Structures are given as C-alpha cells and as structure tokens.
Amino acid sequence: MRQLIFATNNKHKVDEVRAALDGKATVLTLADAGLHGEIPETADTLQGNALQKAMWVWSRLPGIDGCFADDTGLEVDALGGAPGVYSARYAGEHCSFDDNIDKLLRALDGVADRRARFRTVICLIEHGEPRYFEGRVDGQILTERHSAGEGFGYDPVFMPDRFAVSFAEMPLDVKNRISHRGLAVARLAEYLAG
Ligand code: IMP
C-alpha cells in the first residue's frame, strides 16, 4: 500500500484522515517522517497554502510515494468572503479561537445576511504533480455561541444548512461526515481507491 505523508502536526486531523483512507494508503505524520519545524503558509488562497505545505514536504523527501496538505477557511458572505484564508489569525497573530469568534460576532452585529461556508482544499503531490480535492459546507453564523463543550475553531457559531444545531453541538462522527474537511478527504479517498 502506498505511503503518504500528511503535512500537519494536528493529531485530530491525522486520526480523521487515517480512518477515511483506511485500506487505500498508509498515512504518516511529519514526525513519523522525521520532519520538524514550522511549515510556511504565506499564500493568499487556500489552494496556494495547501500547495505550499505539500511542496514543503515533497522538496525535503523526494523519494516518497506522495504527500498531501490541507487548508481551510471560513467565508462569510456579508464580509466579502473574510476571514477566508486568514481564518486562523483573524483576530491577530497569536489569537485564540475565542478571540476570533468575538471579532466575527462583532463584525456581524446587526447584520441579517449571515450566510457562510467552510471550504477545505487538499493538495496531493505524487510524482511531483499536484492534484486538488475540495469540500465545502454551507450554513450560517449564529448570533451567539451554541456549544455543549469546548468546540474547535468557529464550531460554536457555525450552523450547517439542514441542521438545527451548531457544529460544536454535533457528535464528531456526524460533523466529520458532512464537514468541509470530511468531504474533501472523502474525495481524496475516492481518487486513491482508483
Ligand atoms: P486549518 O487550515 O485547518 O488550520 O484551518 C484554519 C482555521 O479555520 C482554524 O484555525 C479554525 O479557526 C478554522 N477551522 C478549520 N476547520 C474548522 C472546523 O471544522 N470548525 C471550526 N473552525 C474550523
């Protein structure tokens, strides 16, 4: 089975992707591959960042079967698509999830159009050639946090279409089935299955 290196240090993402690619590829982490350090993420599109991160791995380990990276953004219609590619640092360079949510709720204070979507782009590099897989989930930004627990990122204020609860209130397996990242990973799995 081919071995693919996933350019992330996020353990939760690795678990989710390993489960989705089970039987189609062995997924190695950066640590498994002996790679350490900050991966640059300086492009101004999701596709550009995913390519940059995957190329960072590929250029260091030219003998591998392949590698991939993902990048996600929350695009809010009333904000012209912001925070988009800057979702992680919307409220500043070292901000918390809570800082980002506070800034988002302030920006949408009194705004009726709350349509938004999460979009994930995965870039897979095999034989030096990039290939892209995308997933998106449409929904709206709530006016306040709806959270059973901690929630990741903007989860407490994002309610996907056709659901009456926020991402933070859903069981993780349900979220993973309908989420931007879940759908992008499913497309990657489909491609790898041939
Ligand atoms: P990343 O590219 O996966 O690191 O995502 C960038 C940023 O988007 C994260 O720091 C989060 O703020 C946000 N984000 C990504 N995925 C999710 C999600 O599933 N729920 C909520 N926020 C997310």
Side-chain angles (χ1 to χ4, degrees):
M1 198 159 32
R2 75 191 112 185
Q3 292 193 331
L4 300 177
I5 295 163
F6 185 11
T8 185
N9 290 309
N10 183 321
K11 168 94 174 66
H12 299 289
K13 282 190 187 178
V14 173
D15 290 345
E16 181 184 343
V17 166
R18 275 199 175 129
L21 301 188
D22 190 32
K24 300 174 190 82
T26 303
V27 177
L28 303 182
T29 65
L30 290 174
D32 293 335
L35 289 180
H36 302 280
E38 273 294 289
I39 308 182
E41 243 183 277
T42 54
D44 58 7
T45 60
L46 298 177
Q47 184 163 329
N49 269 342
L51 172 66
Q52 188 181 25
K53 289 189 273 188
M55 279 306 295
W56 186 88
V57 174
W58 182 262
S59 63
R60 281 162 179 75
L61 301 169
I64 56 175
D65 294 341
C67 59
F68 62 96
D70 72 332
D71 203 45
T72 294
L74 173 66
E75 300 168 345
V76 180
D77 287 352
L79 303 178
V85 73
Y86 305 108
S87 294
R89 47 208 148 105
Y90 182 43
E93 206 48 52
H94 299 290
C95 62
S96 66
F97 290 149
D98 261 339
D99 296 337
N100 282 336
I101 291 177
D102 286 340
K103 179 168 178 182
L104 181 63
L105 292 180
R106 272 199 307 275
L108 291 178
D109 191 24
V111 175
D113 175 10
R114 306 187 73 90
R115 305 242 8 111
R117 73 209 47 79
F118 276 111
R119 215 154 55 79
T120 293
V121 175
I122 292 176
C123 174
L124 169 72
I125 299 182
E126 287 177 310
H127 315 293
E129 288 295 321
R131 201 178 282 272
Y132 297 93
F133 305 87
E134 188 174 321
R136 63 181 268 177
V137 57
D138 288 87
Q140 51 183 302
I141 304 300
L142 298 164
T143 52
E144 55 188 27
R145 290 171 172 79
H146 289 234
S147 175
E150 285 282 292
F152 164 71
Y154 298 88
D155 276 355
V157 292
F158 184 82
M159 184 170 74
D161 290 347
R162 292 179 295 281
F163 286 81
V165 293
S166 76
F167 260 175
E169 294 172 303
M170 287 181 176
L172 193 57
D173 61 321
V174 177
K175 180 192 163 189
N176 287 347
R177 211 163 48 234
I178 65 160
S179 82
H180 45 300
R181 194 167 29 256
L183 295 173
V185 172
R187 296 207 166 107
L188 171 64
E190 220 171 274
Y191 167 76
L192 293 173

